């Protein structure tokens, strides 16, 4: 009599505990992402002093943009490759690729090969972040998407702190090349764990026609079984249809605003990660202090993400993102003044609290703007278009540095913060304007879809 229950046990409740293995593995992958992105900024002052390498401030900014240009290509191509490989193998491929790029940088004897290594790293880094975000949002417990996204992104800043620690300890003693050799560790540590323990996305499995496997994974982790509407579009035609859906009346104005906010946010994130130590050194701070500012701002980033996720779950990601962007602008303007060292550390820390989580809350906002069937495409394009800001940021600050105008970089960051705040703050108004033009029947359907995505 008990055999039916034994053969068909009830799935576990959908909670943080049930999906912890997936969240932990994504956290580890993004940790190494953050370490790789921040390694360059952590060792740049040492590389500029290496006369044999021949790195100049202008070339340093260009190489930073090569990295983020690779990330742009990686982000925009990851979707089509995911149709072929699935999210699990794409994550493994991404980690392997940016570890390979780090090895090339460690071996490079000249700027050309070093820049190629950073471009290869960028290809892997660009695909990893949107994949991990999509996985985490799919597996997140109900009504905890913003908190879960914030928890995931703490790993990026923990990785940034690890990179800074390597820059402070390993680079002076053994040389900057050994810091890049440390960037090969993800292939040794993370790849075996991802292959052995990470499940495939139930939505991706369903989109590929593997219904039984999709249901099995969903039941194992306490997720609701995926439906056709929740499955991401596959193939070129399906992906084009998904992009067109981002411009349906209810979201046609919200979509470009999200893209603009993401552009500003990623200009800040990658501009600061690449240039903060060198900018602070140009302001007269010592080498060790200048590099340690990168650790401090990432520590502030962890605190900010833990705060922002909880606050956004209560008051909304849009409101939190807009306020955080404004506070980032204020912090950037304060850093332009040469303050006492202790005060500067405090300003850098609180600026980190706002800067990084402002961008993460842009990602969290996409969860409420788009319907289930549009969410993966919406997040992919918000991330991908935002990568252009990641390309512009390091290049622009490098151009300013080449002309001896590093201090204008802080003003650039402040302007980016203010524009990002305006863009994200207008998203709710743009949705109301779009919905007002929809016929009554369509408006009812749109309301049902929005309710489902927020449930």
């Amino acid at each position: 009599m008990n055999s039916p229950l034994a053969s068909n046990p009830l799935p576990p409740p959908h909670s943080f505990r049930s999906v912890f293995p997936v969240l932990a593995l994504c956290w580890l992958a993004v940790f190494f992402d953050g370490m790789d992105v921040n390694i360059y900024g952590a060792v740049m002052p040492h590389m500029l002093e290496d006369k044999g390498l021949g790195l100049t401030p202008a070339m340093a900014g260009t190489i930073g943009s090569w990295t983020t240009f690779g990330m742009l290509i990686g982000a925009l191509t990851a979707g089509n490759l995911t149709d072929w490989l699935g999210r699990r193998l794409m994550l493994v491929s991404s980690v392997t690729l940016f570890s390979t790029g780090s090895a090339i940088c460690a071996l490079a004897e000249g700027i050309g090969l070093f820049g190629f290594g950073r471009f290869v790293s960028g290809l892997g880094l660009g695909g990893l972040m949107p994949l991990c975000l999509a996985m985490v949002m799919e597996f997140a417990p109900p009504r905890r998407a913003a908190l879960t996204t914030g928890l995931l992104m703490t790993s990026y800043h923990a990785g940034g702190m690890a990179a800074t620690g390597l820059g402070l300890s390993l680079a002076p003693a053994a040389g900057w090349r050994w810091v890049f050799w440390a960037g090969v560790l993800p292939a040794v540590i993370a790849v075996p764990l991802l292959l052995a323990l990470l499940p495939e996305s139930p939505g991706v499995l369903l989109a590929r026609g593997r219904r039984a496997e999709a249901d099995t994974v969903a039941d194992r982790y306490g997720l609701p079984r995926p439906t056709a509407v929740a499955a991401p579009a596959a193939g070129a035609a399906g992906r084009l249809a998904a992009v067109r859906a981002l411009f349906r009346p209810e979201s046609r104005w919200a979509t470009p605003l999200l893209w603009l906010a993401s552009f500003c946010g990623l200009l800040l994130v990658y501009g600061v990660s690449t240039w903060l130590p060198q900018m602070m050194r140009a302001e007269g701070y010592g080498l060790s202090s200048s590099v340690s500012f990168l650790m401090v701002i990432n520590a502030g980033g962890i605190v900010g993400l833990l705060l922002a996720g909880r606050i956004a779950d209560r008051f909304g990601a849009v409101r939190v993102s807009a306020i955080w962007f404004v506070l980032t602008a204020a912090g950037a303007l304060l850093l332009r003044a040469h303050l006492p060292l202790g005060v500067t550390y405090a300003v850098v820390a609180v600026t980190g609290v706002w800067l990084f989580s402002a961008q993460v809350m842009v990602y969290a906002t996409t969860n409420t703007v788009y319907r289930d069937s549009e969410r993966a495409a919406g997040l992919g394009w918000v991330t991908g278009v935002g990568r252009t800001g990641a390309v512009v940021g390091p290049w622009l600050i490098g151009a300013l540095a080449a002309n001896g105008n590093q201090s204008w970089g802080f003003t650039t960051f402040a302007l980016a913060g203010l524009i990002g705040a305006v863009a994200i703050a207008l998203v709710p108004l743009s949705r109301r304007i779009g919905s007002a033009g929809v016929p009554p029947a369509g408006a009812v359907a749109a309301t049902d879809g929005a309710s489902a995505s927020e449930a």
Side-chain angles (χ1 to χ4, degrees), residues 407-424:
S407 61
W408 282 97
F410 295 113
T411 303
T412 302
F413 293 150
L415 288 173
L418 292 176
I419 295 171
V422 172
I424 197 69

Side-chain angles (χ1 to χ4, degrees), residues 164-176:
T164 308
L166 291 170
L168 287 169
S169 59
L170 196 56
W176 61 265

